[in-house]
Amino acid sequence: MKKVTNSNLTTPLLGTVIEHKDPSLAPLFLVAFLNTASRIAAQTPAYSLLFHEVAHAGGMQRHHISMTIGWLMAMRSLVELACTPLLARWSDRVGRRRSLGLCCLAYCLEYGLLSILQSTLGFSRV
């Protein structure tokens, strides 16, 4: 048996030690920014126009349409505010890739449903 004469036991056996950094949060911030920018630039006006068309066809008057779209947008924001911490906790448990993928799938499903709806009740459920 060979005797070890090197007393420096801190050097790695296979070369350099690779330290793992925490994953970057840049993709998460990018998705959040794009979501907010798309909501401000396109989604809110599109929702308003779509809801106005559907509600007018359903017999609602103009002042009721404006008030209802305001309530719907406020409720959507409150639901997002309440669900964001839950989604973040779930994301920590299952991983960012899965949670972002599922969120993107949910947005695609939402937009698909919004494109085929024909009633104000359907609009409020999506």
Side-chain angles (χ1 to χ4, degrees), residues 27-102:
L28 189 61
F29 288 132
L30 179 64
V31 168
F33 174 75
L34 290 175
N35 184 19
T36 303
S38 70
R39 170 125 342 118
I40 292 169
Q43 194 176 21
T44 301
Y47 277 164
S48 297
L49 291 173
L50 178 63
F51 186 79
H52 186 275
E53 180 181 317
V54 170
H56 189 63
M60 288 181 78
Q61 298 199 3
R62 184 174 294 272
H63 65 282
H64 290 296
I65 293 172
S66 300
M67 187 175 66
T68 306
I69 191 67
W71 276 104
L72 284 174
M73 297 304 280
M75 291 306 294
R76 179 186 172 95
S77 296
L78 288 174
V79 167
E80 285 183 5
L81 178 69
C83 290
T84 298
L86 299 173
L87 183 63
R89 187 177 304 156
W90 178 73
S91 173
D92 289 341
R93 204 172 325 130
V94 299
R96 288 185 190 138
R97 182 172 287 172
R98 281 186 184 171
S99 61
L100 286 175
L102 189 64

